[in-house]
Amino acid sequence: QVQLVESGGGSVQAGGSLRLSCAASLRTFRAYAMGWFRQVPGKEREFVAAISWSGGVTTYADSVKGRFTISRDNAKNTVALQMINLKPEDTAVYYCASGKPFITIPTMTRDDYDFGGQGTQVTVSS
């Protein structure tokens, strides 16, 4: 089972920035697409961003395009999510996710990923 440890969450005011990080225990980390999802109480976990195994292909939810940037470091088994110009509607618990082995390009589909961490809380106040 994949183990993912998210960090970097916190409380900021609207317009602020945060950088989330995820450390993965995957022995073959560089072979998997990685993604970020978020969830608020009472709602389904939603896609935020994803990146291919090489880092060459990225995809974003429309709500975060131009504000969030996903990146990865295959040498360190980490994936990051840089968030700028945060909005109150970005408030959620953010989860890192590992793409399933058949995923060759990053997708937005939650079932294409495995989750293995506790998430990190991001709170944006107006």
Side-chain angles (χ1 to χ4, degrees), residues 38-82:
R38 65 188 182 188
Q39 188 171 22
V40 297
K43 292 191 176 182
E44 297 222 341
R45 194 168 296 187
E46 67 172 8
F47 172 80
V48 175
I51 188 167
S52 63
W53 67 272
S54 67
V57 179
T58 56
T59 187
Y60 297 93
D62 287 343
S63 59
V64 307
K65 278 181 182 175
R67 300 188 298 119
F68 291 12
T69 303
I70 189 171
S71 61
R72 66 188 296 161
D73 185 337
N74 287 343
K76 296 181 179 179
N77 279 23
T78 59
V79 60
L81 185 68
Q82 179 68 50

Side-chain angles (χ1 to χ4, degrees), residues 99-110:
K100 293 186 178 177
F102 57 81
I103 299 302
T104 56
I105 59 173
T107 72
M108 300 184 182
T109 305
R110 189 179 66 177

Side-chain angles (χ1 to χ4, degrees), residues 2-124:
V2 61
Q3 289 187 328
L4 303 167
V5 179
E6 302 94 340
S7 61
S11 297
V12 297
Q13 290 191 326
S17 302
L18 284 172
R19 182 178 177 87
L20 306 183
S21 184
C22 170
S25 66
L26 293 163
R27 190 170 59 182
T28 54
F29 174 81
R30 60 173 55 88
Y32 294 92
M34 297 295 294
W36 286 95
F37 288 71
R38 65 188 182 188
Q39 188 171 22
V40 297
K43 292 191 176 182
E44 297 222 341
R45 194 168 296 187
E46 67 172 8
F47 172 80
V48 175
I51 188 167
S52 63
W53 67 272
S54 67
V57 179
T58 56
T59 187
Y60 297 93
D62 287 343
S63 59
V64 307
K65 278 181 182 175
R67 300 188 298 119
F68 291 12
T69 303
I70 189 171
S71 61
R72 66 188 296 161
D73 185 337
N74 287 343
K76 296 181 179 179
N77 279 23
T78 59
V79 60
L81 185 68
Q82 179 68 50
M83 307 184 293
I84 66 171
N85 191 21
L86 283 160
K87 304 176 180 180
E89 51 264 43
D90 294 320
T91 295
V93 177
Y94 283 70
Y95 296 90
C96 180
S98 170
K100 293 186 178 177
F102 57 81
I103 299 302
T104 56
I105 59 173
T107 72
M108 300 184 182
T109 305
R110 189 179 66 177
D111 288 346
D112 289 344
Y113 295 85
D114 292 318
F115 297 86
Q118 298 296 314
T120 186
Q121 176 71 47
V122 171
T123 303
V124 184

